[in-house]
Amino acid sequence: MIDSKVTELLKKTQLSVTDGRRRILELFLQHEGALSHGDIEKKAGEKFDRVTVYRTLQAFLEKGLIHSIPSSDNSIRYALCKEECSEGHHRDDHVHFICNQCGNATCLEELVVPSIKLPRGYTAQQVEVLVSGICKSCSSR
Amino acid sequence: MIDSKVTELLKKTQLSVTDGRRRILELFLQHEGALSHGDIEKKAGEKFDRVTVYRTLQAFLEKGLIHSIPSSDNSIRYALCKEECSEGHHRDDHVHFICNQCGNATCLEELVVPSIKLPRGYTAQQVEVLVSGICKSCSSR
DNA sequence: CAACAAATGCAACAAAGTTGCAAAAAGAAC
DNA sequence: GTTCTTTTTGCAACTTTGTTGCATTTGTTG
């Protein structure tokens, strides 16, 4: 069932359905939270080449299947986009949370980023809000 | 005059005053906006070893002289902290702006990040707001 | 200006990311 | 299903980025 969803998603974005893409997309669907390139390599790396992972993430990004979450420690993470996203048209306007304890990153889809009033002369095209702290599962331990 | 400020800053943070540190700190003071490791290497790299740049930035970060600005393109940038920052005690609560045209990053010190109300179970320790768009100097051209 | 502590440069590595190209797999047409 | 075309993959080679240990140099302190 998750398998058919994977295929459906790939078809919808006009990406040809290959083992690698299926596997990586599956990882995103299974894993609640964001994944870094490294994570994916670890989880699927024995079956696929490093280069394939790079190219797959690249393709997913371009097609609007996933979006990237900035980081200040050189480990950019990626997370699934909601259905409304498509090529070029990202609607990636939620807050991202990174746990300082477990290191996991999650999309807080229910929290829309606030609009920021910029100084005269500046034009905003995208706003990213990155909150770090202690996540739900870490604080309940 | 900028030279004495550089020395003063280093002294205040109990870093020994060396040519490399002076040069790099000078770059930050001169250059309005944030600098990536690469930028610094380009601007000062012929005089100093790559490793020195890494270690200097590391030291500046730890002492609270600079703070890092997350990115989603693997080019973390650094910018000078305000005076109030010190070891451990960062007061780095302003909005960061990245220009999609010229690529420069600036601290919008006058814009304090909004407080974000998180879902139950989450605790915020830091909030980072990253706005991208067109900056002042690019839009006036 | 000694004596000590700290920072630097170098070399050697490890890890991350990129590119070109031949082989393999997917998609389309019959 | 077979064939043809297009796309993707894996591999190799390479570039860039980041790390570590150690001897040498440079700063700091009295």
Side-chain angles (χ1 to χ4, degrees):
Chain A
M1 49 226 100
I2 201 172
D3 217 55
S4 65
K5 178 153 196 191
V6 163
T7 308
E8 182 208 331
L9 273 171
L10 288 173
K11 286 247 169 85
K12 191 154 72 182
T13 48
Q14 296 174 306
L15 284 166
S16 43
V17 181
T18 66
D19 286 358
R21 287 173 179 173
R22 272 227 298 277
R23 181 79 189 96
I24 292 179
L25 192 45
E26 213 176 281
L27 281 179
F28 278 112
L29 282 167
Q30 287 167 352
H31 192 276
E32 194 59 35
L35 296 168
S36 69
H37 174 94
D39 294 335
I40 293 168
E41 238 183 72
K42 265 172 239 144
K43 288 181 203 255
E46 307 191 2
K47 307 206 67 172
F48 306 102
D49 195 80
R50 234 155 43 81
V51 181
T52 302
V53 178
Y54 281 112
R55 290 193 273 222
T56 304
L57 288 175
Q58 193 57 39
F60 285 4
L61 263 184
E62 278 162 14
K63 294 294 182 176
L65 265 178
I66 58 176
H67 59 275
S68 60
I69 304 174
S71 90
S72 43
D73 65 338
N74 279 324
S75 69
I76 297 174
R77 281 167 261 232
Y78 304 90
L80 275 185
C81 288
K82 288 266 138 187
E83 301 293 316
E84 308 91 56
C85 287
S86 62
E87 197 158 358
H89 270 265
H90 270 281
R91 180 169 261 94
D92 164 25
D93 55 0
H94 54 270
V95 172
H96 289 121
F97 187 90
I98 297 180
C99 182
N100 287 328
Q101 196 159 316
C102 64
N104 282 340
T106 13
C107 295
L108 300 177
E109 311 265 9
E110 65 272 36
L111 288 189
V112 173
V113 299
S115 73
I116 307 280
K117 182 152 175 29
L118 296 173
R120 183 164 292 282
Y122 290 87
T123 316
Q125 287 171 346
Q126 218 219 335
V127 177
E128 170 76 43
V129 175
L130 219 52
V131 183
S132 53
I134 306 297
C135 76
K136 204 150 116 182
S137 48
C138 279
S139 58
S140 69
R141 267 188 238 123
Chain B
M1 48 228 98
I2 201 171
D3 217 54
S4 64
K5 177 153 196 191
V6 163
T7 308
E8 183 209 331
L9 273 171
L10 288 173
K11 286 248 168 85
K12 191 155 73 181
T13 49
Q14 299 175 303
L15 284 165
S16 42
V17 182
T18 65
D19 287 359
R21 288 174 180 173
R22 272 226 297 277
R23 180 80 190 95
I24 292 178
L25 191 46
E26 213 175 282
L27 281 178
F28 278 113
L29 282 167
Q30 288 167 352
H31 192 275
E32 195 60 33
L35 296 168
S36 69
H37 174 94
D39 294 335
I40 294 168
E41 237 183 73
K42 264 172 238 140
K43 288 181 202 253
E46 306 190 5
K47 307 206 65 171
F48 305 101
D49 196 82
R50 235 156 41 82
V51 180
T52 301
V53 178
Y54 281 112
R55 290 195 273 223
T56 303
L57 288 175
Q58 193 56 39
F60 284 5
L61 262 185
E62 279 163 15
K63 295 293 183 177
L65 265 177
I66 58 176
H67 60 275
S68 60
I69 304 173
S71 90
S72 43
D73 65 340
N74 279 323
S75 71
I76 298 174
R77 281 167 261 233
Y78 304 90
L80 274 185
C81 287
K82 289 265 136 189
E83 302 291 316
E84 310 91 52
C85 287
S86 62
E87 197 159 358
H89 271 264
H90 270 282
R91 179 169 262 94
D92 163 26
D93 55 0
H94 54 270
V95 171
H96 289 121
F97 187 89
I98 298 180
C99 181
N100 287 329
Q101 196 159 318
C102 63
N104 282 340
T106 13
C107 295
L108 301 177
E109 311 265 8
E110 64 272 38
L111 287 190
V112 173
V113 299
S115 73
I116 306 281
K117 180 149 176 34
L118 296 174
R120 184 162 292 282
Y122 290 87
T123 316
Q125 288 171 347
Q126 219 219 332
V127 177
E128 170 77 42
V129 174
L130 220 52
V131 182
S132 54
I134 306 297
C135 77
K136 205 150 116 183
S137 48
C138 280
S139 58
S140 69
R141 262 188 245 125

